[in-house]
Short mmCIF file of all heavy atoms in Angstrom, two decimals:
data_model
loop_
_atom_site.label_atom_id
_atom_site.label_comp_id
_atom_site.label_asym_id
_atom_site.label_seq_id
_atom_site.Cartn_x
_atom_site.Cartn_y
_atom_site.Cartn_z
N LEU A 2 76.45 -96.43 202.66
CA LEU A 2 76.95 -96.37 201.28
C LEU A 2 76.53 -97.58 200.47
O LEU A 2 76.18 -97.47 199.29
CB LEU A 2 78.47 -96.21 201.28
CG LEU A 2 79.01 -94.85 201.74
CD1 LEU A 2 80.52 -94.88 201.83
CD2 LEU A 2 78.55 -93.76 200.80
N ALA A 3 76.54 -98.75 201.10
CA ALA A 3 76.11 -99.97 200.40
C ALA A 3 74.64 -99.88 200.04
O ALA A 3 74.23 -100.27 198.94
CB ALA A 3 76.39 -101.19 201.27
N GLU A 4 73.83 -99.36 200.95
CA GLU A 4 72.38 -99.20 200.69
C GLU A 4 72.14 -98.20 199.57
O GLU A 4 71.31 -98.42 198.68
CB GLU A 4 71.67 -98.76 201.98
CG GLU A 4 70.17 -98.65 201.84
CD GLU A 4 69.50 -100.01 201.60
OE1 GLU A 4 70.02 -101.03 202.06
OE2 GLU A 4 68.46 -100.01 200.95
N LEU A 5 72.89 -97.10 199.56
CA LEU A 5 72.75 -96.11 198.49
C LEU A 5 73.17 -96.69 197.14
O LEU A 5 72.51 -96.43 196.11
CB LEU A 5 73.59 -94.86 198.80
CG LEU A 5 73.08 -93.96 199.91
CD1 LEU A 5 74.09 -92.88 200.22
CD2 LEU A 5 71.75 -93.36 199.52
N ASP A 6 74.25 -97.46 197.12
CA ASP A 6 74.70 -98.08 195.89
C ASP A 6 73.66 -99.07 195.37
O ASP A 6 73.37 -99.12 194.17
CB ASP A 6 76.03 -98.79 196.12
CG ASP A 6 76.66 -99.27 194.83
OD1 ASP A 6 76.71 -98.47 193.87
OD2 ASP A 6 77.08 -100.44 194.77
N LYS A 7 73.06 -99.83 196.28
CA LYS A 7 72.02 -100.79 195.91
C LYS A 7 70.81 -100.06 195.30
O LYS A 7 70.26 -100.47 194.28
CB LYS A 7 71.61 -101.58 197.15
CG LYS A 7 70.57 -102.63 196.94
CD LYS A 7 70.30 -103.35 198.26
CE LYS A 7 69.10 -104.25 198.16
NZ LYS A 7 68.78 -104.89 199.45
N GLU A 8 70.40 -98.96 195.92
CA GLU A 8 69.27 -98.18 195.42
C GLU A 8 69.60 -97.58 194.06
O GLU A 8 68.75 -97.57 193.15
CB GLU A 8 68.93 -97.07 196.43
CG GLU A 8 67.77 -96.20 196.04
CD GLU A 8 66.42 -96.92 196.12
OE1 GLU A 8 66.34 -98.02 196.69
OE2 GLU A 8 65.45 -96.36 195.58
N LYS A 9 70.82 -97.10 193.89
CA LYS A 9 71.23 -96.53 192.61
C LYS A 9 71.16 -97.56 191.50
O LYS A 9 70.64 -97.30 190.41
CB LYS A 9 72.66 -95.99 192.74
CG LYS A 9 73.21 -95.39 191.47
CD LYS A 9 74.63 -94.92 191.70
CE LYS A 9 75.29 -94.50 190.41
NZ LYS A 9 76.70 -94.12 190.61
N ARG A 10 71.65 -98.76 191.79
CA ARG A 10 71.60 -99.84 190.78
C ARG A 10 70.17 -100.21 190.44
O ARG A 10 69.84 -100.44 189.28
CB ARG A 10 72.35 -101.06 191.29
CG ARG A 10 73.85 -100.88 191.29
CD ARG A 10 74.55 -102.12 191.74
NE ARG A 10 75.98 -101.87 191.86
CZ ARG A 10 76.80 -102.63 192.54
NH1 ARG A 10 76.34 -103.70 193.18
NH2 ARG A 10 78.06 -102.34 192.62
N ARG A 11 69.30 -100.24 191.45
CA ARG A 11 67.90 -100.57 191.22
C ARG A 11 67.24 -99.53 190.32
O ARG A 11 66.51 -99.85 189.39
CB ARG A 11 67.15 -100.68 192.55
CG ARG A 11 65.69 -101.14 192.38
CD ARG A 11 64.91 -101.07 193.69
NE ARG A 11 64.75 -99.72 194.18
CZ ARG A 11 63.85 -98.85 193.72
NH1 ARG A 11 63.06 -99.18 192.72
NH2 ARG A 11 63.76 -97.64 194.22
N LEU A 12 67.52 -98.25 190.59
CA LEU A 12 66.94 -97.18 189.77
C LEU A 12 67.47 -97.22 188.34
O LEU A 12 66.71 -97.03 187.39
CB LEU A 12 67.22 -95.83 190.41
CG LEU A 12 66.46 -95.54 191.71
CD1 LEU A 12 66.96 -94.25 192.34
CD2 LEU A 12 64.98 -95.46 191.44
N LEU A 13 68.76 -97.46 188.19
CA LEU A 13 69.33 -97.54 186.84
C LEU A 13 68.75 -98.73 186.08
O LEU A 13 68.49 -98.65 184.88
CB LEU A 13 70.85 -97.62 186.90
CG LEU A 13 71.55 -96.33 187.33
CD1 LEU A 13 73.04 -96.56 187.52
CD2 LEU A 13 71.28 -95.22 186.34
N GLN A 14 68.54 -99.83 186.78
CA GLN A 14 67.97 -101.01 186.13
C GLN A 14 66.52 -100.74 185.73
O GLN A 14 66.10 -101.09 184.62
CB GLN A 14 68.04 -102.22 187.07
CG GLN A 14 67.50 -103.49 186.43
CD GLN A 14 67.57 -104.67 187.39
OE1 GLN A 14 67.84 -104.50 188.57
NE2 GLN A 14 67.33 -105.85 186.87
N SER A 15 65.75 -100.11 186.60
CA SER A 15 64.35 -99.81 186.26
C SER A 15 64.28 -98.82 185.11
O SER A 15 63.39 -98.88 184.28
CB SER A 15 63.60 -99.30 187.48
OG SER A 15 64.06 -98.02 187.85
N GLN A 16 65.26 -97.91 185.04
CA GLN A 16 65.30 -96.96 183.93
C GLN A 16 65.56 -97.67 182.63
O GLN A 16 64.93 -97.40 181.61
CB GLN A 16 66.38 -95.92 184.18
CG GLN A 16 66.57 -94.95 183.02
CD GLN A 16 67.78 -94.08 183.19
OE1 GLN A 16 68.39 -94.06 184.25
NE2 GLN A 16 68.16 -93.37 182.16
N SER A 17 66.48 -98.61 182.63
CA SER A 17 66.81 -99.32 181.40
C SER A 17 65.67 -100.23 180.95
O SER A 17 65.58 -100.57 179.79
CB SER A 17 68.09 -100.12 181.58
OG SER A 17 67.89 -101.18 182.48
N LEU A 18 64.79 -100.58 181.86
CA LEU A 18 63.65 -101.42 181.51
C LEU A 18 62.46 -100.59 181.05
O LEU A 18 61.40 -101.12 180.75
CB LEU A 18 63.23 -102.29 182.71
CG LEU A 18 64.25 -103.35 183.13
CD1 LEU A 18 63.77 -104.04 184.40
CD2 LEU A 18 64.47 -104.35 182.03
N GLY A 19 62.60 -99.27 181.02
CA GLY A 19 61.53 -98.42 180.53
C GLY A 19 60.59 -97.97 181.61
O GLY A 19 59.51 -97.47 181.35
N ALA A 20 60.97 -98.07 182.86
CA ALA A 20 60.11 -97.68 183.96
C ALA A 20 60.51 -96.32 184.50
O ALA A 20 60.45 -96.09 185.69
CB ALA A 20 60.16 -98.72 185.07
N VAL A 21 60.89 -95.40 183.62
CA VAL A 21 61.35 -94.10 184.07
C VAL A 21 60.23 -93.31 184.72
O VAL A 21 60.43 -92.59 185.68
CB VAL A 21 61.93 -93.31 182.86
CG1 VAL A 21 62.31 -91.91 183.27
CG2 VAL A 21 63.12 -94.05 182.29
N GLY A 22 59.01 -93.44 184.24
CA GLY A 22 57.89 -92.67 184.76
C GLY A 22 57.24 -93.27 185.99
O GLY A 22 56.23 -92.78 186.44
N CYS A 23 57.79 -94.32 186.56
CA CYS A 23 57.19 -94.96 187.73
C CYS A 23 57.35 -94.07 188.96
O CYS A 23 58.36 -93.42 189.13
CB CYS A 23 57.85 -96.31 188.02
SG CYS A 23 57.51 -97.53 186.76
N PRO A 24 56.35 -94.08 189.85
CA PRO A 24 56.47 -93.32 191.09
C PRO A 24 57.65 -93.85 191.89
O PRO A 24 57.88 -95.04 191.96
CB PRO A 24 55.16 -93.58 191.81
CG PRO A 24 54.21 -94.09 190.78
CD PRO A 24 55.06 -94.73 189.71
N GLY A 25 58.39 -92.94 192.49
CA GLY A 25 59.52 -93.33 193.31
C GLY A 25 60.81 -93.43 192.54
O GLY A 25 61.86 -93.59 193.13
N ALA A 26 60.76 -93.35 191.23
CA ALA A 26 62.00 -93.43 190.44
C ALA A 26 62.54 -92.02 190.30
O ALA A 26 62.31 -91.34 189.33
CB ALA A 26 61.71 -94.03 189.07
N SER A 27 63.26 -91.59 191.32
CA SER A 27 63.75 -90.21 191.34
C SER A 27 65.19 -90.16 190.88
O SER A 27 66.10 -90.01 191.67
CB SER A 27 63.60 -89.63 192.75
OG SER A 27 64.30 -90.45 193.66
N VAL A 28 65.40 -90.27 189.59
CA VAL A 28 66.72 -90.18 189.00
C VAL A 28 66.86 -88.77 188.44
O VAL A 28 65.97 -88.28 187.77
CB VAL A 28 66.91 -91.24 187.89
CG1 VAL A 28 68.27 -91.10 187.25
CG2 VAL A 28 66.72 -92.62 188.44
N GLY A 29 67.98 -88.12 188.68
CA GLY A 29 68.20 -86.76 188.23
C GLY A 29 68.30 -86.68 186.71
O GLY A 29 68.51 -87.67 186.03
N LEU A 30 68.20 -85.45 186.19
CA LEU A 30 68.27 -85.24 184.75
C LEU A 30 69.63 -85.62 184.20
O LEU A 30 69.74 -86.09 183.07
CB LEU A 30 67.99 -83.77 184.43
CG LEU A 30 66.57 -83.28 184.65
CD1 LEU A 30 66.48 -81.79 184.34
CD2 LEU A 30 65.60 -84.06 183.79
N ALA A 31 70.69 -85.47 184.99
CA ALA A 31 72.02 -85.79 184.49
C ALA A 31 72.17 -87.29 184.24
O ALA A 31 72.96 -87.70 183.40
CB ALA A 31 73.07 -85.32 185.49
N ALA A 32 71.41 -88.10 184.97
CA ALA A 32 71.51 -89.55 184.79
C ALA A 32 70.70 -90.03 183.59
O ALA A 32 70.80 -91.18 183.22
CB ALA A 32 71.03 -90.25 186.05
N ARG A 33 69.90 -89.15 183.01
CA ARG A 33 69.06 -89.54 181.88
C ARG A 33 69.37 -88.66 180.68
O ARG A 33 68.63 -87.74 180.37
CB ARG A 33 67.58 -89.40 182.24
CG ARG A 33 67.13 -90.41 183.24
CD ARG A 33 65.65 -90.32 183.42
NE ARG A 33 65.38 -89.22 184.37
CZ ARG A 33 64.17 -88.96 184.83
NH1 ARG A 33 63.15 -89.67 184.46
NH2 ARG A 33 63.99 -87.97 185.66
N PRO A 34 70.46 -88.92 179.96
CA PRO A 34 70.74 -88.11 178.77
C PRO A 34 69.64 -88.36 177.75
O PRO A 34 69.15 -89.45 177.61
CB PRO A 34 72.09 -88.63 178.30
CG PRO A 34 72.22 -89.99 178.89
CD PRO A 34 71.43 -89.97 180.18
N GLY A 35 69.27 -87.32 177.06
CA GLY A 35 68.23 -87.45 176.05
C GLY A 35 66.88 -86.97 176.56
O GLY A 35 65.99 -86.74 175.77
N LEU A 36 66.71 -86.83 177.87
CA LEU A 36 65.43 -86.37 178.41
C LEU A 36 65.16 -84.94 177.98
O LEU A 36 64.05 -84.61 177.61
CB LEU A 36 65.42 -86.50 179.93
CG LEU A 36 64.12 -86.07 180.60
CD1 LEU A 36 62.99 -87.01 180.16
CD2 LEU A 36 64.25 -86.11 182.09
N LYS A 37 66.19 -84.09 178.01
CA LYS A 37 66.02 -82.70 177.61
C LYS A 37 65.62 -82.62 176.13
O LYS A 37 64.72 -81.86 175.78
CB LYS A 37 67.31 -81.92 177.84
CG LYS A 37 67.17 -80.43 177.52
CD LYS A 37 68.48 -79.72 177.81
CE LYS A 37 68.43 -78.24 177.62
NZ LYS A 37 67.66 -77.71 176.56
N GLU A 38 66.25 -83.43 175.29
CA GLU A 38 65.92 -83.43 173.87
C GLU A 38 64.48 -83.90 173.65
O GLU A 38 63.75 -83.36 172.82
CB GLU A 38 66.89 -84.30 173.08
CG GLU A 38 68.28 -83.74 172.97
CD GLU A 38 69.15 -84.05 174.19
OE1 GLU A 38 68.72 -84.86 175.05
OE2 GLU A 38 70.25 -83.49 174.29
N THR A 39 64.07 -84.90 174.41
CA THR A 39 62.69 -85.41 174.30
C THR A 39 61.70 -84.34 174.71
O THR A 39 60.69 -84.12 174.06
CB THR A 39 62.52 -86.66 175.18
OG1 THR A 39 63.48 -87.63 174.79
CG2 THR A 39 61.13 -87.24 175.06
N ARG A 40 62.02 -83.64 175.82
CA ARG A 40 61.12 -82.59 176.30
C ARG A 40 61.05 -81.46 175.29
O ARG A 40 59.98 -80.93 175.01
CB ARG A 40 61.59 -82.09 177.67
CG ARG A 40 60.62 -81.08 178.28
CD ARG A 40 61.07 -80.60 179.64
NE ARG A 40 62.33 -79.89 179.51
CZ ARG A 40 63.38 -80.10 180.28
NH1 ARG A 40 63.35 -80.98 181.22
NH2 ARG A 40 64.49 -79.41 180.10
N ASP A 41 62.21 -81.06 174.72
CA ASP A 41 62.23 -80.00 173.73
C ASP A 41 61.43 -80.38 172.49
O ASP A 41 60.71 -79.57 171.93
CB ASP A 41 63.66 -79.65 173.33
CG ASP A 41 64.42 -78.95 174.44
OD1 ASP A 41 63.78 -78.50 175.41
OD2 ASP A 41 65.67 -78.88 174.34
#
């Protein structure tokens, strides 16, 4: 659980830095509000 929490924080931090499109950044659509609007 600690490892999962650490990975989650790393992904959220990379997302906030604009690295959403980086390989390995597998964050679900629910964690990225606005992605659907951007795609539409």
Side-chain angles (χ1 to χ4, degrees):
L2 289 174
E4 183 66 30
L5 288 173
D6 189 47
K7 182 179 170 183
E8 181 70 13
K9 179 181 172 184
R10 287 182 186 163
R11 185 187 65 79
L12 290 172
L13 289 174
Q14 182 180 11
S15 68
Q16 175 189 350
S17 67
L18 294 175
V21 176
C23 293
S27 57
V28 178
L30 290 178
R33 291 186 278 187
L36 181 64
K37 184 179 184 323
E38 290 83 9
T39 303
R40 186 179 63 228
D41 290 346

